[in-house]
Amino acid sequence: MTTSASVPAGSEDAITRVGTVTDRLVEANERYATAFTDPGMDARPVLRVAVVACMDARLDLHAALGLELGDCHTIRNAGGVVTDDVIRSLTISQRKLGTRSIVLIHHTGCGLESLTEEFRTELELEVGQRPAWAVESFRDVDQDVRQSMQRVRTSPFLLHTDDVRGFVFDVRTGLLREIDPA
């Protein structure tokens, strides 16, 4: 099992065997920085699009969507669900940084499909405090994409809600399947 405090066996290539995973990431960054040159980009995405997606490690959004550095804003969370914090980020993205389009991406085999709001109760019993946030678990990924599209389209804070599209990414094939908002 890999944790943030251990280094997985067999991953010694170009990264030291000693230290935590965070140590490995810092070392990788030092190597990256030696060849780094400032691309001279603005914080405004070139394609004027914001992508909201699940944090699942199997989703390589830039590769899957043919994106380059600077093309989009990427907002990731568990499930890719549109929460108040996602609305916050999208509002800043649109109102201050010029995005006009929003792409929502959920995926097959999401961990949120196996959780329930009972998770919050379990946490409360363990730590003595109930989380203020909702788990936002779901059973039907298509319906959850529709709900996320509706949350975006009805937000009073977002200026541009005419180009909002939702998809399910298939983790086995790499293909996106568009979800009809109706």
Side-chain angles (χ1 to χ4, degrees):
M1 175 168 73
T2 302
T3 66
S4 62
S6 66
V7 175
S11 60
E12 300 87 32
D13 60 327
I15 298 179
T16 349
R17 288 188 227 181
V18 182
T20 67
V21 171
T22 303
D23 293 333
R24 291 174 46 208
L25 298 176
V26 170
E27 289 173 16
N29 174 258
E30 289 169 358
R31 288 189 299 279
Y32 170 80
T34 61
F36 181 79
T37 55
D38 179 0
M41 294 178 177
D42 187 287
R44 297 172 181 273
V46 172
L47 298 179
R48 297 172 61 161
V49 63
V51 177
V52 178
C54 185
M55 65 186 190
D56 192 295
R58 296 172 291 181
L59 277 66
D60 182 351
L61 293 175
H62 276 73
L65 300 174
L67 296 168
E68 299 293 330
L69 181 67
D71 281 349
C72 73
H73 282 158
T74 306
I75 303 161
R76 296 182 77 153
N77 69 13
V81 296
V82 175
T83 61
D84 286 346
D85 196 55
V86 169
I87 294 293
R88 170 189 164 269
S89 294
L90 288 172
T91 301
I92 293 166
S93 177
Q94 284 191 354
R95 290 180 175 262
K96 296 300 179 184
L97 297 167
T99 59
R100 297 293 180 263
S101 301
I102 298 172
V103 174
L104 307 173
I105 301 176
H106 287 33
H107 66 91
T108 58
C110 184
L112 280 187
E113 291 175 293
S114 63
L115 287 177
T116 66
E117 290 299 320
E118 182 66 21
F119 180 64
R120 294 174 69 221
T121 303
E122 294 168 7
L123 285 172
E124 181 180 17
L125 291 172
E126 180 182 330
V127 303
Q129 180 178 342
R130 188 169 186 81
W133 40 262
V135 175
E136 296 278 355
S137 60
F138 52 87
R139 296 281 180 249
D140 181 340
V141 67
D142 290 18
Q143 182 54 35
D144 202 64
V145 171
R146 283 186 200 95
Q147 177 177 299
S148 289
M149 286 190 283
Q150 184 64 18
R151 285 179 178 173
V152 168
R153 288 192 173 117
T154 59
S155 173
F157 306 110
L158 298 173
L159 296 172
H160 308 283
T161 59
D162 54 322
D163 189 14
V164 177
R165 293 173 64 186
F167 301 85
V168 174
F169 177 87
D170 188 314
V171 297
R172 290 190 183 95
T173 67
L175 288 172
L176 290 176
R177 179 173 50 83
E178 188 158 8
I179 301 303
D180 185 352

